[in-house]
Amino acid sequence: MIVSASRRTDIPAFYGPWLLNRLKAGEVLVRNPVQPKQVSRIILAPEHIDALVFWTKNPEPFLHILPEIDAMGYSSYFLFTLTPYDLRLEPGVPPGEERIGVFRKLSALAGRERVVWRYDPVILTETMNAAWHASSFALLAGALAGYTERCIISFLDDYRKIRNRMRDIGYVTAGKEEMADLAGRFAGTAGAFDIALCTCSQDIDLSHCGITHSRCIDRELIGRLSGRRVDAAGKDRSQRRACGCAESRDIGSYDTCMHGCRYCYAVSNRKGVLPGAAALYEPDSPMLCDRLRGDESITAPPSGMPSLF
């Protein structure tokens, strides 16, 4: 099983102690965001986990925790989102120069194969146009050269839930020609710095630019890092049609990320954290920013995986 930690929130930035405690306990409880009375009990013993996949914009608070997780026998890698946006779009994210330093520290600690750079999403406006992105991408690629092997890009999806939040930004939806032109510029830059460039969840074929479709949760990478065969992990049907990610179990909770990014689909308001969610955070709790209410149906682990509670 592959564990995603997490598309729903930034666990390395805000909830590292909770994750470490869950790994030590060997189990986690996760509420179904669509059917809130359904709670899954997920076994986290190392022998049952092919990999932990960390999604983050600032893993600095996690750096001192990672060696302990590695020593427990878990295989893992990071999807590190690093974009050139300012506080208007990413109000709770540390400055870019600071995060470049964190990226380098993480790469030195974990190895560059375990740190995948995400330039995501590409947001186009009158001022943040193709030339601006090409220049910004080149500066970041130069700063990260030698610290990562791969970069994944994707363009902003016009989700209804972020439309009102982003209205005053004046963003435009990129057409296929515009995507291809900008992606081609990115590819030339990435190649110059020996960084493989891939796309995430994009229908457009950019193979003529030397850009392949990527899988953020990647069976092949997990196999190389863990030494295990993960053929059983098929395509994740819960993701978008163009997404090639392998199936995983997400252990995060929506509306708990404190970065407050305007374009984030995982929050329902501009501040990110729902009222009361942060107050429910307990590092020793079996659930992230949540607790059992007494009316839930808790699914048991699969046969052969004994409960540790």
Side-chain angles (χ1 to χ4, degrees):
M1 178 176 64
I2 302 167
V3 170
S4 176
S6 156
R7 282 185 172 96
R8 300 170 183 171
T9 190
D10 195 328
I11 289 177
F14 304 116
Y15 305 113
W18 172 82
L19 176 63
L20 181 60
N21 288 335
R22 288 300 88 219
L23 296 177
K24 289 178 177 178
E27 287 191 355
V28 64
L29 296 182
V30 181
R31 191 179 301 279
N32 185 324
V34 179
Q35 307 270 348
K37 289 189 177 182
Q38 295 179 4
V39 173
S40 296
R41 176 174 278 136
I42 299 173
I43 299 297
L44 296 178
E47 59 268 27
H48 297 304
I49 304 299
D50 294 305
L52 303 169
V53 180
F54 299 118
W55 307 69
T56 186
K57 289 183 177 174
N58 179 30
E60 184 171 30
F62 199 70
L63 296 183
H64 73 284
I65 294 174
L66 182 60
E68 187 170 356
I69 292 176
D70 288 345
M72 295 169 70
Y74 293 97
S75 178
S76 66
Y77 68 93
F78 290 77
L79 295 160
F80 193 137
T81 298
L82 185 53
T83 48
Y85 304 127
D86 59 21
L87 295 177
R88 190 174 53 144
L89 282 170
E90 299 178 342
V93 178
E97 284 298 321
E98 184 177 322
R99 287 190 295 140
I100 288 170
V102 174
F103 194 109
R104 292 171 172 174
K105 288 179 185 177
L106 177 60
S107 178
L109 179 65
R112 65 178 189 169
E113 187 179 25
R114 291 174 61 193
V115 189
V116 178
W117 172 30
R118 285 175 59 88
Y119 190 93
D120 169 41
V122 177
I123 300 171
L124 291 167
T125 70
E126 185 177 347
T127 55
M128 296 188 302
N129 54 24
W132 182 88
H133 274 289
S135 174
S136 299
F137 183 86
L139 289 172
L140 288 173
L144 302 181
Y147 294 95
T148 186
E149 295 182 352
R150 179 167 46 147
C151 176
I152 300 173
I153 62 170
S154 72
F155 289 80
L156 180 71
D157 284 309
D158 192 25
Y159 288 120
R160 185 189 309 174
K161 68 190 308 182
I162 69 168
R163 206 168 288 155
N164 288 336
R165 270 189 260 144
M166 292 281 289
R167 194 180 303 277
D168 62 309
I169 300 297
Y171 71 95
V172 295
T173 303
K176 288 192 174 182
E177 288 187 8
E178 195 167 15
M179 286 185 189
D181 174 67
L182 184 52
R185 298 198 211 183
F186 287 168
T189 298
F193 291 110
D194 198 25
I195 299 173
L197 190 65
C198 317
T199 58
C200 170
S201 297
Q202 305 289 166
D203 286 319
I204 187 171
D205 180 9
L206 298 171
S207 57
H208 62 284
C209 301
I211 302 173
T212 60
H213 287 294
S214 180
R215 299 162 295 280
C216 296
I217 298 185
D218 188 338
R219 281 192 304 270
E220 293 179 7
L221 176 58
I222 291 169
R224 289 199 303 273
L225 295 175
S226 67
R228 299 182 180 183
R229 291 193 59 161
V230 288
D231 295 340
K235 184 185 183 311
D236 192 337
R237 298 181 183 275
S238 68
Q239 302 302 319
R240 290 168 287 178
R241 182 181 60 81
C243 177
C245 282
E247 187 177 9
S248 64
R249 298 299 301 271
D250 199 300
I251 61 171
S253 299
Y254 288 113
D255 292 305
T256 59
C257 184
M258 290 176 273
H259 288 315
C261 299
R262 297 274 291 272
Y263 53 78
C264 183
Y265 68 86
V267 296
S268 57
N269 60 66
R270 281 184 58 171
K271 294 183 179 179
V273 180
L274 282 179
L280 290 176
Y281 173 58
E282 297 176 358
D284 294 324
S285 172
M287 308 180 79
L288 180 59
C289 296
D290 197 357
R291 59 184 62 142
L292 292 175
R293 303 163 190 165
D295 61 347
E296 295 94 346
S297 171
I298 302 177
T299 59
S303 178
M305 293 186 183
S307 172
L308 303 180
F309 284 153

